[in-house]
Amino acid sequence: MARIGGRPLKERNEAPAFLLPRNEPRAIADPMRGSAWITQQLRQAITEGSLRHAEKLPAERQLAEIFGASRTTVRSALNQLEADRLVTRRVGSGTFVNYQPRSPQDDVAELTSPLELIDVRLAVEPHMVRLAVLNSTSRELERLNEALGEMERSSVDSETFTLLDEQFHLCIAECSRNPLMVSLYRQINDVRTHAQWNAMKDKVLTIERIAEYNRQHRTLVEAIQARDVESAVAIVTNHLHYARRQLLGAGANVGGEA
């Protein structure tokens, strides 16, 4: 099965070279297949769900190698995807998928207030963290540290932080090694992207609060790595209660993040 970004794509009559696994020869540059073709291939991967919402794309240099194109051509394709609102590009952080297909869950997501979402997260995440402490492998902990480092190095705008924060908490779900927990957390992340949060995230996510969230994230990762169940559960519980207080301070049913 052909892949991009580590996810399988449906076979096609002519599998584009960029879908080849990484250990196979890279594509040969084809002047007849410029930025429009690259745009089309990436658009298809995004809209078919092979590249999911908030997933980070490879760097421009890597995409240029995958497609056998120049970085200028790749950059033009990414600019078009950004204009089409399929990706979000952030200097210093990278390019992230910004597309979600409509689904029956969308109505529930739109009806769920951020405070209601935090209540669900308080019910789910302490046990999710408990499982992460008990079950995570060294490779999963490495990915969790990478996600944390990316948040700490990123610019402090609310949109970038929201995308990276979603990935960080999803990494914790993956550390649980429970596929149903991972699926459930993807649904939680879907709710976190809807209108009520988007309307208020710039107000809630100040530079100071982003710094505090990242401090809490680091202490949480340290507790998970130390296999300290009680500390990790207490940290994530306090983390979510802190987020809840920020929501209440901004308005009872407006957006929030943790």
Side-chain angles (χ1 to χ4, degrees), residues 108-109 111-129 169 180-181 183-192 236-237 239-241 243-244 247 256 258:
V108 173
L111 291 171
T112 302
S113 76
L115 282 176
E116 290 167 336
L117 175 60
I118 285 288
D119 287 340
V120 171
R121 293 182 65 189
L122 277 163
V124 170
E125 291 195 45
H127 188 60
M128 182 176 84
V129 165
H169 285 272
L180 183 56
M181 183 67 78
S183 177
L184 175 60
Y185 209 82
R186 289 190 186 280
Q187 290 181 280
I188 287 174
N189 273 348
D190 287 345
V191 176
R192 294 170 77 188
V236 79
T237 301
H239 179 63
L240 292 170
H241 278 299
R244 198 176 197 280
L247 291 179

Side-chain angles (χ1 to χ4, degrees), residues 12-105:
R12 299 174 178 81
N13 292 333
E14 179 189 8
F18 83 100
L19 299 178
L20 293 171
R22 294 273 178 114
N23 60 351
E24 294 191 22
R26 71 174 181 85
I28 298 174
D30 183 346
M32 298 302 293
R33 289 180 165 181
S35 64
W37 182 78
I38 296 173
T39 301
Q40 189 273 330
Q41 297 300 312
L42 288 172
R43 180 184 288 113
Q44 186 171 4
I46 291 168
T47 57
E48 288 183 353
S50 299
L51 293 169
R52 301 190 184 201
H53 175 75
E55 185 170 347
K56 185 177 180 180
L57 271 63
E60 284 183 4
R61 174 183 54 78
Q62 294 172 294
L63 287 173
E65 292 175 357
I66 292 168
F67 282 105
S70 70
R71 291 181 65 173
T72 300
T73 301
V74 167
R75 190 173 300 119
S76 177
L78 294 177
N79 286 341
Q80 183 59 54
L81 291 171
E82 184 176 35
D84 294 341
R85 299 186 178 181
L86 293 175
V87 301
T88 298
R89 305 180 73 198
R90 294 293 170 188
V91 176
S93 297
T95 302
F96 298 86
V97 176
N98 185 35
Y99 171 82
Q100 293 188 89
R102 293 289 300 177
S103 73
Q105 296 173 354

